[in-house]
PDB file of all heavy atoms in Angstrom:
ATOM      1  N   GLY T   1       8.391  23.461  -3.753  1.00 97.00           N
ATOM      2  CA  GLY T   1       8.803  22.097  -3.845  1.00 97.00           C
ATOM      3  C   GLY T   1       7.637  21.135  -3.733  1.00 97.00           C
ATOM      4  O   GLY T   1       6.458  21.544  -3.468  1.00 97.00           O
ATOM      5  N   TYR T   2       7.910  19.883  -3.840  1.00 98.00           N
ATOM      6  CA  TYR T   2       6.897  18.794  -3.827  1.00 98.00           C
ATOM      7  C   TYR T   2       6.168  18.831  -2.470  1.00 98.00           C
ATOM      8  O   TYR T   2       4.926  18.751  -2.376  1.00 98.00           O
ATOM      9  CB  TYR T   2       7.581  17.475  -4.023  1.00 98.00           C
ATOM     10  CG  TYR T   2       6.651  16.272  -4.075  1.00 98.00           C
ATOM     11  CD1 TYR T   2       6.012  15.915  -5.261  1.00 98.00           C
ATOM     12  CD2 TYR T   2       6.327  15.537  -2.963  1.00 98.00           C
ATOM     13  CE1 TYR T   2       5.136  14.832  -5.344  1.00 98.00           C
ATOM     14  CE2 TYR T   2       5.433  14.468  -2.983  1.00 98.00           C
ATOM     15  CZ  TYR T   2       4.812  14.097  -4.210  1.00 98.00           C
ATOM     16  OH  TYR T   2       3.967  13.047  -4.238  1.00 98.00           O
ATOM     17  N   ASP T   3       6.868  18.946  -1.381  1.00 98.00           N
ATOM     18  CA  ASP T   3       6.320  18.964  -0.085  1.00 98.00           C
ATOM     19  C   ASP T   3       5.278  20.165   0.102  1.00 98.00           C
ATOM     20  O   ASP T   3       4.249  19.956   0.713  1.00 98.00           O
ATOM     21  CB  ASP T   3       7.316  19.072   1.062  1.00 98.00           C
ATOM     22  CG  ASP T   3       8.153  17.764   1.208  1.00 98.00           C
ATOM     23  OD1 ASP T   3       7.588  16.736   0.912  1.00 98.00           O
ATOM     24  OD2 ASP T   3       9.337  17.853   1.589  1.00 98.00           O
ATOM     25  N   VAL T   4       5.662  21.235  -0.417  1.00 98.00           N
ATOM     26  CA  VAL T   4       4.811  22.475  -0.346  1.00 98.00           C
ATOM     27  C   VAL T   4       3.525  22.220  -1.140  1.00 98.00           C
ATOM     28  O   VAL T   4       2.408  22.614  -0.679  1.00 98.00           O
ATOM     29  CB  VAL T   4       5.532  23.710  -0.827  1.00 98.00           C
ATOM     30  CG1 VAL T   4       4.607  24.947  -0.890  1.00 98.00           C
ATOM     31  CG2 VAL T   4       6.790  24.018   0.083  1.00 98.00           C
ATOM     32  N   GLU T   5       3.612  21.643  -2.232  1.00 98.00           N
ATOM     33  CA  GLU T   5       2.430  21.348  -3.067  1.00 98.00           C
ATOM     34  C   GLU T   5       1.475  20.417  -2.324  1.00 98.00           C
ATOM     35  O   GLU T   5       0.272  20.533  -2.353  1.00 98.00           O
ATOM     36  CB  GLU T   5       2.762  20.769  -4.434  1.00 98.00           C
ATOM     37  CG  GLU T   5       3.546  21.756  -5.327  1.00 98.00           C
ATOM     38  CD  GLU T   5       2.739  23.047  -5.560  1.00 98.00           C
ATOM     39  OE1 GLU T   5       1.539  22.976  -5.784  1.00 98.00           O
ATOM     40  OE2 GLU T   5       3.326  24.126  -5.408  1.00 98.00           O
ATOM     41  N   ILE T   6       2.033  19.384  -1.716  1.00 98.00           N
ATOM     42  CA  ILE T   6       1.190  18.456  -0.907  1.00 98.00           C
ATOM     43  C   ILE T   6       0.606  19.203   0.257  1.00 98.00           C
ATOM     44  O   ILE T   6      -0.556  19.029   0.618  1.00 98.00           O
ATOM     45  CB  ILE T   6       2.081  17.248  -0.374  1.00 98.00           C
ATOM     46  CG1 ILE T   6       2.538  16.415  -1.593  1.00 98.00           C
ATOM     47  CG2 ILE T   6       1.277  16.319   0.579  1.00 98.00           C
ATOM     48  CD1 ILE T   6       1.482  15.806  -2.429  1.00 98.00           C
ATOM     49  N   ALA T   7       1.348  20.009   0.952  1.00 98.00           N
ATOM     50  CA  ALA T   7       0.897  20.818   2.123  1.00 98.00           C
ATOM     51  C   ALA T   7      -0.235  21.725   1.760  1.00 98.00           C
ATOM     52  O   ALA T   7      -1.186  21.871   2.496  1.00 98.00           O
ATOM     53  CB  ALA T   7       2.050  21.618   2.721  1.00 98.00           C
ATOM     54  N   LYS T   8      -0.215  22.302   0.554  1.00 98.00           N
ATOM     55  CA  LYS T   8      -1.277  23.196   0.141  1.00 98.00           C
ATOM     56  C   LYS T   8      -2.586  22.386   0.005  1.00 98.00           C
ATOM     57  O   LYS T   8      -3.700  22.850   0.373  1.00 98.00           O
ATOM     58  CB  LYS T   8      -0.864  23.877  -1.230  1.00 98.00           C
ATOM     59  CG  LYS T   8       0.112  24.974  -1.039  1.00 98.00           C
ATOM     60  CD  LYS T   8       0.963  25.270  -2.242  1.00 98.00           C
ATOM     61  CE  LYS T   8       0.184  25.722  -3.416  1.00 98.00           C
ATOM     62  NZ  LYS T   8       1.087  26.205  -4.523  1.00 98.00           N
ATOM     63  N   ARG T   9      -2.488  21.238  -0.559  1.00 98.00           N
ATOM     64  CA  ARG T   9      -3.680  20.393  -0.750  1.00 98.00           C
ATOM     65  C   ARG T   9      -4.292  19.975   0.587  1.00 98.00           C
ATOM     66  O   ARG T   9      -5.523  19.930   0.781  1.00 98.00           O
ATOM     67  CB  ARG T   9      -3.293  19.094  -1.562  1.00 98.00           C
ATOM     68  CG  ARG T   9      -3.017  19.440  -3.022  1.00 98.00           C
ATOM     69  CD  ARG T   9      -2.376  18.258  -3.735  1.00 98.00           C
ATOM     70  NE  ARG T   9      -1.965  18.603  -5.069  1.00 98.00           N
ATOM     71  CZ  ARG T   9      -2.597  18.143  -6.191  1.00 98.00           C
ATOM     72  NH1 ARG T   9      -3.613  17.342  -6.047  1.00 98.00           N
ATOM     73  NH2 ARG T   9      -2.149  18.471  -7.395  1.00 98.00           N
ATOM     74  N   VAL T  10      -3.357  19.619   1.514  1.00 98.00           N
ATOM     75  CA  VAL T  10      -3.853  19.206   2.834  1.00 98.00           C
ATOM     76  C   VAL T  10      -4.508  20.382   3.576  1.00 98.00           C
ATOM     77  O   VAL T  10      -5.603  20.270   4.136  1.00 98.00           O
ATOM     78  CB  VAL T  10      -2.677  18.695   3.717  1.00 98.00           C
ATOM     79  CG1 VAL T  10      -3.084  18.488   5.148  1.00 98.00           C
ATOM     80  CG2 VAL T  10      -2.201  17.376   3.113  1.00 98.00           C
ATOM     81  N   ALA T  11      -3.927  21.564   3.574  1.00 98.00           N
ATOM     82  CA  ALA T  11      -4.436  22.715   4.200  1.00 98.00           C
ATOM     83  C   ALA T  11      -5.802  23.134   3.631  1.00 98.00           C
ATOM     84  O   ALA T  11      -6.767  23.449   4.329  1.00 98.00           O
ATOM     85  CB  ALA T  11      -3.444  23.888   4.082  1.00 98.00           C
ATOM     86  N   ASP T  12      -5.944  23.045   2.281  1.00 97.00           N
ATOM     87  CA  ASP T  12      -7.251  23.397   1.651  1.00 97.00           C
ATOM     88  C   ASP T  12      -8.308  22.402   2.111  1.00 97.00           C
ATOM     89  O   ASP T  12      -9.415  22.861   2.377  1.00 97.00           O
ATOM     90  CB  ASP T  12      -7.059  23.325   0.131  1.00 97.00           C
ATOM     91  CG  ASP T  12      -6.295  24.493  -0.421  1.00 97.00           C
ATOM     92  OD1 ASP T  12      -6.147  25.479   0.311  1.00 97.00           O
ATOM     93  OD2 ASP T  12      -5.878  24.404  -1.626  1.00 97.00           O
ATOM     94  N   ALA T  13      -7.983  21.135   2.213  1.00 96.00           N
ATOM     95  CA  ALA T  13      -8.956  20.126   2.553  1.00 96.00           C
ATOM     96  C   ALA T  13      -9.391  20.301   3.995  1.00 96.00           C
ATOM     97  O   ALA T  13     -10.615  20.075   4.367  1.00 96.00           O
ATOM     98  CB  ALA T  13      -8.416  18.747   2.368  1.00 96.00           C
ATOM     99  N   LEU T  14      -8.515  20.808   4.885  1.00 97.00           N
ATOM    100  CA  LEU T  14      -8.822  21.041   6.233  1.00 97.00           C
ATOM    101  C   LEU T  14      -9.499  22.364   6.468  1.00 97.00           C
ATOM    102  O   LEU T  14      -9.892  22.670   7.595  1.00 97.00           O
ATOM    103  CB  LEU T  14      -7.585  20.869   7.122  1.00 97.00           C
ATOM    104  CG  LEU T  14      -6.893  19.543   7.110  1.00 97.00           C
ATOM    105  CD1 LEU T  14      -5.670  19.594   7.967  1.00 97.00           C
ATOM    106  CD2 LEU T  14      -7.848  18.502   7.674  1.00 97.00           C
ATOM    107  N   GLY T  15      -9.582  23.198   5.415  1.00 96.00           N
ATOM    108  CA  GLY T  15     -10.151  24.549   5.551  1.00 96.00           C
ATOM    109  C   GLY T  15      -9.234  25.476   6.361  1.00 96.00           C
ATOM    110  O   GLY T  15      -9.752  26.377   7.051  1.00 96.00           O
ATOM    111  N   LYS T  16      -7.922  25.302   6.283  1.00 97.00           N
ATOM    112  CA  LYS T  16      -7.007  26.118   7.087  1.00 97.00           C
ATOM    113  C   LYS T  16      -6.030  26.886   6.165  1.00 97.00           C
ATOM    114  O   LYS T  16      -5.772  26.433   5.028  1.00 97.00           O
ATOM    115  CB  LYS T  16      -6.199  25.236   8.035  1.00 97.00           C
ATOM    116  CG  LYS T  16      -7.092  24.553   9.071  1.00 97.00           C
ATOM    117  CD  LYS T  16      -6.289  23.749  10.093  1.00 97.00           C
ATOM    118  CE  LYS T  16      -7.163  23.088  11.097  1.00 97.00           C
ATOM    119  NZ  LYS T  16      -6.309  22.303  12.119  1.00 97.00           N
ATOM    120  N   GLU T  17      -5.438  27.903   6.702  1.00 97.00           N
ATOM    121  CA  GLU T  17      -4.392  28.645   5.978  1.00 97.00           C
ATOM    122  C   GLU T  17      -3.093  28.020   6.181  1.00 97.00           C
ATOM    123  O   GLU T  17      -2.740  27.728   7.374  1.00 97.00           O
ATOM    124  CB  GLU T  17      -4.391  30.125   6.492  1.00 97.00           C
ATOM    125  CG  GLU T  17      -3.289  31.008   5.769  1.00 97.00           C
ATOM    126  CD  GLU T  17      -3.189  32.304   6.408  1.00 97.00           C
ATOM    127  OE1 GLU T  17      -4.063  32.711   7.221  1.00 97.00           O
ATOM    128  OE2 GLU T  17      -2.208  33.030   6.069  1.00 97.00           O
ATOM    129  N   LEU T  18      -2.346  27.802   5.162  1.00 98.00           N
ATOM    130  CA  LEU T  18      -1.024  27.159   5.269  1.00 98.00           C
ATOM    131  C   LEU T  18       0.016  28.157   5.721  1.00 98.00           C
ATOM    132  O   LEU T  18       0.159  29.221   5.145  1.00 98.00           O
ATOM    133  CB  LEU T  18      -0.622  26.588   3.860  1.00 98.00           C
ATOM    134  CG  LEU T  18       0.780  25.951   3.839  1.00 98.00           C
ATOM    135  CD1 LEU T  18       0.962  24.795   4.824  1.00 98.00           C
ATOM    136  CD2 LEU T  18       1.121  25.476   2.368  1.00 98.00           C
ATOM    137  N   VAL T  19       0.744  27.768   6.739  1.00 98.00           N
ATOM    138  CA  VAL T  19       1.903  28.546   7.213  1.00 98.00           C
ATOM    139  C   VAL T  19       3.129  27.644   7.204  1.00 98.00           C
ATOM    140  O   VAL T  19       3.143  26.574   7.845  1.00 98.00           O
ATOM    141  CB  VAL T  19       1.648  29.105   8.690  1.00 98.00           C
ATOM    142  CG1 VAL T  19       2.866  29.740   9.235  1.00 98.00           C
ATOM    143  CG2 VAL T  19       0.375  30.074   8.702  1.00 98.00           C
ATOM    144  N   ILE T  20       4.117  28.078   6.551  1.00 98.00           N
ATOM    145  CA  ILE T  20       5.348  27.297   6.457  1.00 98.00           C
ATOM    146  C   ILE T  20       6.364  27.832   7.513  1.00 98.00           C
ATOM    147  O   ILE T  20       6.689  28.955   7.606  1.00 98.00           O
ATOM    148  CB  ILE T  20       6.053  27.496   5.033  1.00 98.00           C
ATOM    149  CG1 ILE T  20       5.132  26.900   3.965  1.00 98.00           C
ATOM    150  CG2 ILE T  20       7.388  26.772   5.056  1.00 98.00           C
ATOM    151  CD1 ILE T  20       4.887  25.416   4.008  1.00 98.00           C
ATOM    152  N   VAL T  21       6.818  26.850   8.307  1.00 98.00           N
ATOM    153  CA  VAL T  21       7.797  27.188   9.396  1.00 98.00           C
ATOM    154  C   VAL T  21       9.080  26.455   8.994  1.00 98.00           C
ATOM    155  O   VAL T  21       9.213  25.235   9.094  1.00 98.00           O
ATOM    156  CB  VAL T  21       7.295  26.681  10.741  1.00 98.00           C
ATOM    157  CG1 VAL T  21       8.242  27.038  11.823  1.00 98.00           C
ATOM    158  CG2 VAL T  21       5.876  27.257  11.116  1.00 98.00           C
ATOM    159  N   LYS T  22      10.112  27.240   8.641  1.00 98.00           N
ATOM    160  CA  LYS T  22      11.369  26.724   8.223  1.00 98.00           C
ATOM    161  C   LYS T  22      12.104  26.153   9.508  1.00 98.00           C
ATOM    162  O   LYS T  22      12.363  26.903  10.444  1.00 98.00           O
ATOM    163  CB  LYS T  22      12.261  27.743   7.554  1.00 98.00           C
ATOM    164  CG  LYS T  22      13.532  27.241   6.900  1.00 98.00           C
ATOM    165  CD  LYS T  22      14.194  28.364   6.069  1.00 98.00           C
ATOM    166  CE  LYS T  22      15.438  27.904   5.410  1.00 98.00           C
ATOM    167  NZ  LYS T  22      15.997  28.921   4.554  1.00 98.00           N
ATOM    168  N   THR T  23      12.404  24.902   9.431  1.00 98.00           N
ATOM    169  CA  THR T  23      12.902  24.231  10.634  1.00 98.00           C
ATOM    170  C   THR T  23      14.094  23.248  10.262  1.00 98.00           C
ATOM    171  O   THR T  23      13.976  22.524   9.299  1.00 98.00           O
ATOM    172  CB  THR T  23      11.802  23.366  11.295  1.00 98.00           C
ATOM    173  OG1 THR T  23      10.646  24.217  11.497  1.00 98.00           O
ATOM    174  CG2 THR T  23      12.280  22.859  12.675  1.00 98.00           C
ATOM    175  N   GLU T  24      15.161  23.271  11.041  1.00 95.00           N
ATOM    176  CA  GLU T  24      16.257  22.357  10.810  1.00 95.00           C
ATOM    177  C   GLU T  24      15.806  20.965  10.936  1.00 95.00           C
ATOM    178  O   GLU T  24      14.922  20.623  11.731  1.00 95.00           O
ATOM    179  CB  GLU T  24      17.391  22.582  11.750  1.00 95.00           C
ATOM    180  CG  GLU T  24      18.092  23.947  11.623  1.00 95.00           C
ATOM    181  CD  GLU T  24      18.903  24.068  10.270  1.00 95.00           C
ATOM    182  OE1 GLU T  24      19.332  22.973   9.817  1.00 95.00           O
ATOM    183  OE2 GLU T  24      19.047  25.142   9.768  1.00 95.00           O
ATOM    184  N   TRP T  25      16.324  19.985  10.165  1.00 95.00           N
ATOM    185  CA  TRP T  25      15.936  18.591  10.150  1.00 95.00           C
ATOM    186  C   TRP T  25      15.842  18.021  11.585  1.00 95.00           C
ATOM    187  O   TRP T  25      14.855  17.461  12.001  1.00 95.00           O
ATOM    188  CB  TRP T  25      16.892  17.769   9.315  1.00 95.00           C
ATOM    189  CG  TRP T  25      16.536  16.323   9.329  1.00 95.00           C
ATOM    190  CD1 TRP T  25      17.142  15.299  10.071  1.00 95.00           C
ATOM    191  CD2 TRP T  25      15.515  15.685   8.551  1.00 95.00           C
ATOM    192  NE1 TRP T  25      16.558  14.133   9.755  1.00 95.00           N
ATOM    193  CE2 TRP T  25      15.576  14.308   8.887  1.00 95.00           C
ATOM    194  CE3 TRP T  25      14.568  16.139   7.638  1.00 95.00           C
ATOM    195  CZ2 TRP T  25      14.662  13.410   8.277  1.00 95.00           C
ATOM    196  CZ3 TRP T  25      13.721  15.240   7.037  1.00 95.00           C
ATOM    197  CH2 TRP T  25      13.794  13.902   7.369  1.00 95.00           C
ATOM    198  N   ASP T  26      16.882  18.156  12.399  1.00 94.00           N
ATOM    199  CA  ASP T  26      16.878  17.654  13.758  1.00 94.00           C
ATOM    200  C   ASP T  26      15.898  18.317  14.643  1.00 94.00           C
ATOM    201  O   ASP T  26      15.587  17.824  15.752  1.00 94.00           O
ATOM    202  CB  ASP T  26      18.269  17.774  14.356  1.00 94.00           C
ATOM    203  CG  ASP T  26      19.244  16.661  13.850  1.00 94.00           C
ATOM    204  OD1 ASP T  26      18.784  15.779  13.174  1.00 94.00           O
ATOM    205  OD2 ASP T  26      20.462  16.758  14.137  1.00 94.00           O
ATOM    206  N   GLY T  27      15.364  19.450  14.295  1.00 97.00           N
ATOM    207  CA  GLY T  27      14.436  20.198  15.093  1.00 97.00           C
ATOM    208  C   GLY T  27      12.953  19.915  14.775  1.00 97.00           C
ATOM    209  O   GLY T  27      12.021  20.365  15.426  1.00 97.00           O
ATOM    210  N   LEU T  28      12.711  19.146  13.732  1.00 97.00           N
ATOM    211  CA  LEU T  28      11.328  18.870  13.284  1.00 97.00           C
ATOM    212  C   LEU T  28      10.552  18.134  14.302  1.00 97.00           C
ATOM    213  O   LEU T  28       9.358  18.513  14.628  1.00 97.00           O
ATOM    214  CB  LEU T  28      11.363  18.121  11.932  1.00 97.00           C
ATOM    215  CG  LEU T  28      11.748  19.002  10.714  1.00 97.00           C
ATOM    216  CD1 LEU T  28      11.981  18.055   9.504  1.00 97.00           C
ATOM    217  CD2 LEU T  28      10.674  19.997  10.411  1.00 97.00           C
ATOM    218  N   LEU T  29      11.066  16.975  14.850  1.00 97.00           N
ATOM    219  CA  LEU T  29      10.279  16.248  15.817  1.00 97.00           C
ATOM    220  C   LEU T  29      10.013  17.038  17.109  1.00 97.00           C
ATOM    221  O   LEU T  29       8.887  17.092  17.567  1.00 97.00           O
ATOM    222  CB  LEU T  29      10.981  14.917  16.130  1.00 97.00           C
ATOM    223  CG  LEU T  29      10.900  13.812  15.087  1.00 97.00           C
ATOM    224  CD1 LEU T  29      11.697  12.630  15.487  1.00 97.00           C
ATOM    225  CD2 LEU T  29       9.469  13.445  14.702  1.00 97.00           C
ATOM    226  N   PRO T  30      11.054  17.705  17.668  1.00 98.00           N
ATOM    227  CA  PRO T  30      10.815  18.519  18.864  1.00 98.00           C
ATOM    228  C   PRO T  30       9.817  19.653  18.607  1.00 98.00           C
ATOM    229  O   PRO T  30       8.977  19.917  19.475  1.00 98.00           O
ATOM    230  CB  PRO T  30      12.197  19.117  19.208  1.00 98.00           C
ATOM    231  CG  PRO T  30      13.124  18.087  18.593  1.00 98.00           C
ATOM    232  CD  PRO T  30      12.476  17.553  17.377  1.00 98.00           C
ATOM    233  N   ALA T  31       9.844  20.228  17.426  1.00 98.00           N
ATOM    234  CA  ALA T  31       8.900  21.350  17.061  1.00 98.00           C
ATOM    235  C   ALA T  31       7.477  20.817  17.012  1.00 98.00           C
ATOM    236  O   ALA T  31       6.510  21.510  17.435  1.00 98.00           O
ATOM    237  CB  ALA T  31       9.303  21.959  15.721  1.00 98.00           C
ATOM    238  N   LEU T  32       7.257  19.619  16.476  1.00 98.00           N
ATOM    239  CA  LEU T  32       5.933  19.008  16.419  1.00 98.00           C
ATOM    240  C   LEU T  32       5.472  18.729  17.825  1.00 98.00           C
ATOM    241  O   LEU T  32       4.326  18.994  18.166  1.00 98.00           O
ATOM    242  CB  LEU T  32       5.983  17.738  15.576  1.00 98.00           C
ATOM    243  CG  LEU T  32       4.633  17.008  15.380  1.00 98.00           C
ATOM    244  CD1 LEU T  32       3.641  17.928  14.673  1.00 98.00           C
ATOM    245  CD2 LEU T  32       4.843  15.735  14.594  1.00 98.00           C
ATOM    246  N   GLU T  33       6.293  18.054  18.631  1.00 97.00           N
ATOM    247  CA  GLU T  33       5.905  17.661  19.924  1.00 97.00           C
ATOM    248  C   GLU T  33       5.561  18.795  20.872  1.00 97.00           C
ATOM    249  O   GLU T  33       4.792  18.714  21.800  1.00 97.00           O
ATOM    250  CB  GLU T  33       6.938  16.703  20.531  1.00 97.00           C
ATOM    251  CG  GLU T  33       7.069  15.385  19.812  1.00 97.00           C
ATOM    252  CD  GLU T  33       8.184  14.494  20.412  1.00 97.00           C
ATOM    253  OE1 GLU T  33       9.354  14.765  20.152  1.00 97.00           O
ATOM    254  OE2 GLU T  33       7.915  13.588  21.146  1.00 97.00           O
ATOM    255  N   SER T  34       6.282  19.919  20.614  1.00 97.00           N
ATOM    256  CA  SER T  34       6.053  21.147  21.466  1.00 97.00           C
ATOM    257  C   SER T  34       5.064  22.133  20.896  1.00 97.00           C
ATOM    258  O   SER T  34       4.941  23.297  21.375  1.00 97.00           O
ATOM    259  CB  SER T  34       7.408  21.821  21.699  1.00 97.00           C
ATOM    260  OG  SER T  34       7.923  22.266  20.438  1.00 97.00           O
ATOM    261  N   ASN T  35       4.327  21.695  19.846  1.00 97.00           N
ATOM    262  CA  ASN T  35       3.268  22.513  19.241  1.00 97.00           C
ATOM    263  C   ASN T  35       3.746  23.744  18.481  1.00 97.00           C
ATOM    264  O   ASN T  35       2.944  24.636  18.216  1.00 97.00           O
ATOM    265  CB  ASN T  35       2.203  22.957  20.274  1.00 97.00           C
ATOM    266  CG  ASN T  35       1.540  21.801  20.946  1.00 97.00           C
ATOM    267  OD1 ASN T  35       1.190  20.814  20.331  1.00 97.00           O
ATOM    268  ND2 ASN T  35       1.324  21.865  22.292  1.00 97.00           N
ATOM    269  N   VAL T  36       5.009  23.834  18.199  1.00 98.00           N
ATOM    270  CA  VAL T  36       5.565  24.897  17.371  1.00 98.00           C
ATOM    271  C   VAL T  36       5.034  24.734  15.937  1.00 98.00           C
ATOM    272  O   VAL T  36       4.717  25.725  15.219  1.00 98.00           O
ATOM    273  CB  VAL T  36       7.072  24.937  17.373  1.00 98.00           C
ATOM    274  CG1 VAL T  36       7.622  25.963  16.376  1.00 98.00           C
ATOM    275  CG2 VAL T  36       7.595  25.262  18.769  1.00 98.00           C
ATOM    276  N   ILE T  37       4.838  23.508  15.511  1.00 98.00           N
ATOM    277  CA  ILE T  37       4.256  23.167  14.195  1.00 98.00           C
ATOM    278  C   ILE T  37       3.159  22.166  14.370  1.00 98.00           C
ATOM    279  O   ILE T  37       3.130  21.466  15.446  1.00 98.00           O
ATOM    280  CB  ILE T  37       5.341  22.644  13.196  1.00 98.00           C
ATOM    281  CG1 ILE T  37       5.989  21.417  13.735  1.00 98.00           C
ATOM    282  CG2 ILE T  37       6.364  23.744  12.888  1.00 98.00           C
ATOM    283  CD1 ILE T  37       6.983  20.763  12.780  1.00 98.00           C
ATOM    284  N   ASP T  38       2.307  22.056  13.408  1.00 98.00           N
ATOM    285  CA  ASP T  38       1.194  21.083  13.474  1.00 98.00           C
ATOM    286  C   ASP T  38       1.421  19.831  12.630  1.00 98.00           C
ATOM    287  O   ASP T  38       0.738  18.770  12.839  1.00 98.00           O
ATOM    288  CB  ASP T  38      -0.107  21.748  12.918  1.00 98.00           C
ATOM    289  CG  ASP T  38      -0.458  23.008  13.708  1.00 98.00           C
ATOM    290  OD1 ASP T  38      -0.456  22.952  14.969  1.00 98.00           O
ATOM    291  OD2 ASP T  38      -0.784  24.042  13.090  1.00 98.00           O
ATOM    292  N   ALA T  39       2.378  19.897  11.709  1.00 98.00           N
ATOM    293  CA  ALA T  39       2.608  18.720  10.863  1.00 98.00           C
ATOM    294  C   ALA T  39       4.037  18.857  10.318  1.00 98.00           C
ATOM    295  O   ALA T  39       4.588  19.974  10.127  1.00 98.00           O
ATOM    296  CB  ALA T  39       1.563  18.677   9.732  1.00 98.00           C
ATOM    297  N   ILE T  40       4.675  17.663  10.045  1.00 98.00           N
ATOM    298  CA  ILE T  40       5.944  17.620   9.320  1.00 98.00           C
ATOM    299  C   ILE T  40       5.647  17.112   7.867  1.00 98.00           C
ATOM    300  O   ILE T  40       5.160  16.000   7.729  1.00 98.00           O
ATOM    301  CB  ILE T  40       6.878  16.677  10.068  1.00 98.00           C
ATOM    302  CG1 ILE T  40       7.163  17.191  11.425  1.00 98.00           C
ATOM    303  CG2 ILE T  40       8.179  16.525   9.201  1.00 98.00           C
ATOM    304  CD1 ILE T  40       8.009  16.083  12.298  1.00 98.00           C
ATOM    305  N   ILE T  41       5.919  17.955   6.955  1.00 98.00           N
ATOM    306  CA  ILE T  41       5.825  17.482   5.544  1.00 98.00           C
ATOM    307  C   ILE T  41       7.140  17.906   4.906  1.00 98.00           C
ATOM    308  O   ILE T  41       7.360  18.943   4.363  1.00 98.00           O
ATOM    309  CB  ILE T  41       4.611  18.182   4.798  1.00 98.00           C
ATOM    310  CG1 ILE T  41       3.309  18.036   5.632  1.00 98.00           C
ATOM    311  CG2 ILE T  41       4.493  17.637   3.406  1.00 98.00           C
ATOM    312  CD1 ILE T  41       2.082  18.676   4.971  1.00 98.00           C
ATOM    313  N   ALA T  42       8.117  16.972   5.087  1.00 97.00           N
ATOM    314  CA  ALA T  42       9.479  17.294   4.757  1.00 97.00           C
ATOM    315  C   ALA T  42      10.295  16.113   4.219  1.00 97.00           C
ATOM    316  O   ALA T  42      11.455  15.975   4.489  1.00 97.00           O
ATOM    317  CB  ALA T  42      10.150  17.772   6.036  1.00 97.00           C
ATOM    318  N   GLY T  43       9.633  15.300   3.415  1.00 95.00           N
ATOM    319  CA  GLY T  43      10.345  14.148   2.871  1.00 95.00           C
ATOM    320  C   GLY T  43      10.787  13.166   3.962  1.00 95.00           C
ATOM    321  O   GLY T  43      11.831  12.544   3.786  1.00 95.00           O
ATOM    322  N   MET T  44      10.029  13.085   5.046  1.00 95.00           N
ATOM    323  CA  MET T  44      10.417  12.255   6.144  1.00 95.00           C
ATOM    324  C   MET T  44       9.867  10.812   6.017  1.00 95.00           C
ATOM    325  O   MET T  44       8.698  10.588   5.734  1.00 95.00           O
ATOM    326  CB  MET T  44       9.910  12.825   7.474  1.00 95.00           C
ATOM    327  CG  MET T  44      10.282  12.022   8.708  1.00 95.00           C
ATOM    328  SD  MET T  44       9.812  12.862  10.271  1.00 95.00           S
ATOM    329  CE  MET T  44      11.215  14.059  10.416  1.00 95.00           C
TER     330      MET T  44
END
């Protein structure tokens, strides 16, 4: 999807490997704040 294509560009620019973590909508903010994920790229 669109978000994944944007995420790939961001990861490449940062020199990092992209890892997709499937997360329920309501769990995105808590996951970011608790370091489970590094970024939310989810049409937010």
Side-chain angles (χ1 to χ4, degrees):
Y2 185 86
D3 290 330
V4 174
E5 294 305 312
I6 296 298
K8 284 155 64 172
R9 290 167 184 251
V10 170
D12 286 346
L14 296 178
K16 297 182 179 182
E17 178 187 349
L18 175 60
V19 174
I20 297 294
V21 182
K22 189 172 182 176
T23 311
E24 293 294 331
W25 178 260
D26 282 351
L28 287 169
L29 287 179
L32 180 62
E33 294 177 284
S34 60
N35 298 319
V36 172
I37 58 176
D38 301 312
I40 298 171
I41 307 181
M44 180 173 281

